[in-house]
Every structure is written in structure tokens, then in C-alpha cells.
Amino acid sequence: MPKPTKGPRLGGGPAHERLILANMAQSLFEHQSIRTTEARAKRLRPLAERLITKAKRGDLHARRQVHAVLSRKDIVHELFAEIAPAMAERQGGYTRITKVAPRKGDNAPMAVIELVMEPVSPKQATVKEAEAAAKRAVKEEAAAEATDAAVEEPAAEVVAEEQAQAGDEAETTDAVEETDANEGADEAEASK
């Protein structure tokens, strides 16, 4: 069960609040921008973004879920046919809330909530990709240095062992040559 939001509701009860938010979402998708109180705009944003995410999926189940919230078929069609393809490159942040002057009658804080229809700029995408590539390169360098350090320590031990073995082999070869020379000398003396 979803957790209810804290604080006073927008309407008299939960059902009335759902209807208010659904009507505001329909108006937002129909007009691309609406002027309302800050509290209502902040409560509308998660609902609108969730509906746009479902519309981006584009399958029948998502269409039925959106239609359960929005009652007008023409708005649902517009959401799936026009708004969702325009938001295809965007990873989130489909709406923008801008504060405006307070309402004249009761001085309530007002805001404009609108759909962000501008395409994602390639410069921002390039900058984000470059930052990610730089982070990956730093991580790879650190990993390579750690690997090189781990390889160098055993390599030094291996070189020392090889040198020791080479020294042992040289001593063994010298001893064998001396033994052969001694045996040759002994044979020469014996044959005399």
C-alpha cells in the first residue's frame, strides 16, 4: 500500500486529491504548461513524471495504466504519440516548476509547471560522457598501478631466485669440471 503524503491534503479526502491531481495532469499534458499553487505543482510533478515514463515504454499495459489515471482518451493518445517521443532522449526531469508572483486575492505562492520539451543538448551529453570517461580512466590507472606493484614484488623475488639458481648451477658446473679434471688426471697417472 502506498504511503500517504504528510501534511494536509489538497482536497477533502484521498479520492478528491487523486481526482484533483488527475485533472491537473490532463491539463498539463493538454496545454504543456499550467499555473497553479506551489503545493499543487510539487504534488503534481511526481505523478506527471511517472505517467510520462510509462508512456515512454509504450506497450499496452502502460497505456492501460495511464488510462486508469487520465480519463480522456485524446489526452492519453497525445501523451503516447507526441509527448513521449519528444522525451525519449531524456533520462528524467520531464517537468519544470518556476515560481511566479503570489496570487492577488489571498497572496498564495504560485508556480508555473511545464513540460521540458527542449531536446537534450548534445553538449551536455558530451560533457557528461567526457566526465564519465575521465573517471573510468583514473580508476583504470589506479588498478593498473596496483597490479604493476603486485607484479613487481614477486618479479623481484623471481629474479633473486633465478640469480641464486644460476649461481648454484655455476658452482655445480665448476665442481663437475674439477671432478672431471681430477678423474682425467687420475686416469693419466694410472696409465703410466
Side-chain angles (χ1 to χ4, degrees), residues 89-172:
E89 296 297 318
R90 220 169 257 291
Q91 297 297 315
Y94 309 120
T95 58
R96 176 187 301 136
I97 297 177
T98 308
K99 295 180 182 182
V100 293
R103 192 161 47 198
K104 211 165 182 110
D106 60 355
N107 205 29
M110 298 297 284
V112 173
I113 182 168
E114 58 189 344
L115 297 175
V116 181
M117 299 299 285
E118 299 92 27
V120 179
S121 71
K123 180 180 179 185
Q124 288 177 344
T126 306
V127 168
K128 287 181 182 178
E129 289 175 11
E131 289 174 356
K135 287 180 183 178
R136 279 195 306 268
V138 168
K139 287 181 182 178
E140 289 174 0
E141 287 178 17
E145 289 176 6
T147 306
D148 290 344
V151 168
E152 286 176 6
E153 292 173 7
E157 293 174 6
V158 168
V159 169
E161 287 178 17
E162 288 176 356
Q163 289 175 351
Q165 288 176 356
D168 291 345
E169 289 176 4
E171 290 175 6
T172 307

Side-chain angles (χ1 to χ4, degrees), residues 1-177:
M1 178 176 159
K3 182 178 179 184
T5 56
K6 295 189 179 213
R9 295 194 175 276
L10 298 178
H16 189 200
E17 181 176 334
R18 274 194 302 272
L19 289 171
I20 288 173
L21 291 174
N23 285 332
M24 287 174 54
Q26 283 183 149
S27 296
L28 177 64
F29 296 139
E30 183 177 5
H31 302 292
Q32 317 291 305
S33 173
I34 57 172
R35 186 170 185 256
T36 184
T37 62
E38 270 184 51
R40 287 182 177 184
K42 288 179 181 177
R43 296 290 291 278
L44 174 61
R45 172 182 254 170
L47 175 70
E49 295 205 0
R50 220 171 320 154
L51 293 174
I52 292 171
T53 302
K54 288 178 183 176
K56 281 173 62 175
R57 268 197 344 231
D59 57 352
L60 180 62
H61 181 61
R63 186 176 288 267
R64 286 180 176 162
Q65 286 179 322
V66 170
H67 191 63
V69 176
L70 306 176
S71 58
R72 291 179 48 192
K73 290 182 181 178
D74 59 330
I75 301 297
V76 173
H77 176 72
E78 182 179 346
L79 177 62
F80 276 79
E82 297 171 14
I83 296 172
M87 304 283 187
E89 296 297 318
R90 220 169 257 291
Q91 297 297 315
Y94 309 120
T95 58
R96 176 187 301 136
I97 297 177
T98 308
K99 295 180 182 182
V100 293
R103 192 161 47 198
K104 211 165 182 110
D106 60 355
N107 205 29
M110 298 297 284
V112 173
I113 182 168
E114 58 189 344
L115 297 175
V116 181
M117 299 299 285
E118 299 92 27
V120 179
S121 71
K123 180 180 179 185
Q124 288 177 344
T126 306
V127 168
K128 287 181 182 178
E129 289 175 11
E131 289 174 356
K135 287 180 183 178
R136 279 195 306 268
V138 168
K139 287 181 182 178
E140 289 174 0
E141 287 178 17
E145 289 176 6
T147 306
D148 290 344
V151 168
E152 286 176 6
E153 292 173 7
E157 293 174 6
V158 168
V159 169
E161 287 178 17
E162 288 176 356
Q163 289 175 351
Q165 288 176 356
D168 291 345
E169 289 176 4
E171 290 175 6
T172 307
T173 307
D174 292 341
V176 168
E177 288 176 1

